[in-house]
Each structure stands twice: as structure tokens, then as C-alpha cells.
Amino acid sequence: MDIAGQVAIVTGGASGLGEATARHLAELGAKVAILDFNAERAETVAADIGGFAQKCDVSDEAMVADCVAAITAHFGQGPRVAVNCAGLANAARIVGREGKTSVDVFRRVIEVNLIGSYNVMTYAVQAMMEMAPLDGGERGVIINTSSAAYEDGQIGQSAYAASKGAIASMCLPAARELAKPGIRVMAIAPGLFNTPMMEGLPPETTAEITKNILHPNRLGHPAEFAQLAGDIVRNPYLNGTVIRLDGATRLPPR
């Protein structure tokens, strides 16, 4: 798909991988709508790229539906692209110190990472189905963010790995279901990236984290995630699969 002139939704677009993706898609000529819980930061990024920002808790279905409707009204056309980058990385052992349970953490991570991605995918697809197909019969592209943790989850990552594993698992059935209307579904499973969460770590901690990254031996740049998202949109034969983007790293148990 030639993304120039098309509407693209990016969740979590106020920072990290989402911000890099929003900026890259705008550089490719897309009309970018940012959905993020941090409304102030989302407005700042949107202003920089000539986009549109909406405060959104992606786990709230009604709010997501309203945001997609507002995006369509604002741009006068529905989205052709939706990239889900919004998510939580809360860590907790199943049973921690002094027998503390973590069901609340598990529930919240699933609500945001998995159900949130499903909500946005659902309402973006609904809008795409109402649009005329482009040349080749394509109506749209969904890109969900999984994680290397879906295969290599570490201690304390049961909730996070479960949410990202589910995102990976639904990629193919969603692609099969949406093939007839001409909507592709892909997932990216990033490894360790230089996001705001990583930037605050001491150098020795970062060195320990990166020692398992084979080549290049460094944290990934958010722009590299954004580049892959753009490549997925533009390559019509990419569909129904999960791409690991991780420098060949395999996460250790802890």
C-alpha cells in the first residue's frame, strides 16, 4: 500500500516505539492519528507531525470506538492503517514475597496489552470495511506489537508474556478472517529497545541487558521498529505472521 495520503492510527504514539512510528508514517505522507493516555504529550507529537491526537485508554471499548469515529470525522476518511504500540510492561511474580499474589497485575496487563489491541483492531477494521478497496483489493493493514518475551518470557513476566503471546497467536486467525475484505494483519515482536523505560537505567544495567544481543550488540533504535512498520504497510505480500526484531537475542530467565 502506498501510505501517502492515507489515515494511520498509532496507539501509544506519544512516546517510545509508538512515537517513532507516528513520526515515520508521517514522513511517508500519512495522516497520522495518535491515541495515547498521555494527552499532553500526544498533542505535542501530533503538532510536530501535522497529525491529530486523542486521549484514549485502549482497554475502554467505548472510548476506542469514539476515538476511531472522531478520527474519521477529523480527516474526512477512515483509517487504512492501525499500529498498536500502547502497552504496559508491569512485572510481578505469580506469588511474591510474603505470599503476595499478583492477579491484579495480570488482569491489568491483559486488559491494556491484549484487549486494548483487540479493541483498536476491531474498530479500525470496522472502519476499513466501509471503505472502497485500493488497487489490488487492499482495504487496510493492522500491525500489532507482540514481544520477544512471547517466546522468551523472563521471571516476573508471566502477565506480560501471556499478553504478548496472545497477540502473536491471534495474528494468523485474524489475517485469515480478514482476507476476504482485503485487510492484512501482522505482528512485530521487538526485543530490547532504547525506549524511555530503558534510558533511565544505569550504564552497568544496560550493559548487562545488552550482552545477550548478538549483532548489532546494542539496544534497538525505535526508528528501526518504525521502519519495519512502514515496510509492512508498503509490502502487500506480508500477511499473517509475526516478525521478531531483536538482533538475534534470546532473553535469559532473569
Side-chain angles (χ1 to χ4, degrees), residues 7-9 31-33 35 52 54 64-80 123-131:
V7 174
I9 296 173
K31 303 172 183 178
V32 179
L35 302 186
F52 178 61
Q54 290 273 281
V64 170
D66 288 345
C67 284
V68 174
I71 290 165
T72 301
H74 176 81
F75 289 113
Q77 64 187 95
R80 291 283 190 188
Y123 287 96
V125 164
Q126 185 182 57
M128 291 172 186
M129 285 179 166
E130 296 176 356
M131 302 172 73

Side-chain angles (χ1 to χ4, degrees), residues 7-25:
V7 174
I9 296 173
V10 181
T11 72
S15 63
L17 302 181
E19 179 181 351
T21 301
R23 292 183 181 279
H24 182 61
L25 294 182

Side-chain angles (χ1 to χ4, degrees), residues 167-183:
I167 287 171
S169 293
M170 74 177 178
C171 182
L172 180 57
R176 286 172 165 169
E177 179 180 334
L178 299 174
K180 188 173 181 178
I183 298 169

Side-chain angles (χ1 to χ4, degrees), residues 145-155 157-169 187-191 241-246 248-253:
T145 301
S146 180
S147 167
Y150 95 93
E151 292 184 316
D152 309 339
Q154 297 178 292
I155 291 172
Q157 285 190 326
S158 290
Y160 183 72
S163 70
K164 296 303 186 178
I167 287 171
S169 293
I188 301 173
T241 196
V242 182
I243 300 175
R244 280 187 68 133
L245 185 67
D246 58 15
T249 190
R250 294 298 180 265
L251 303 178

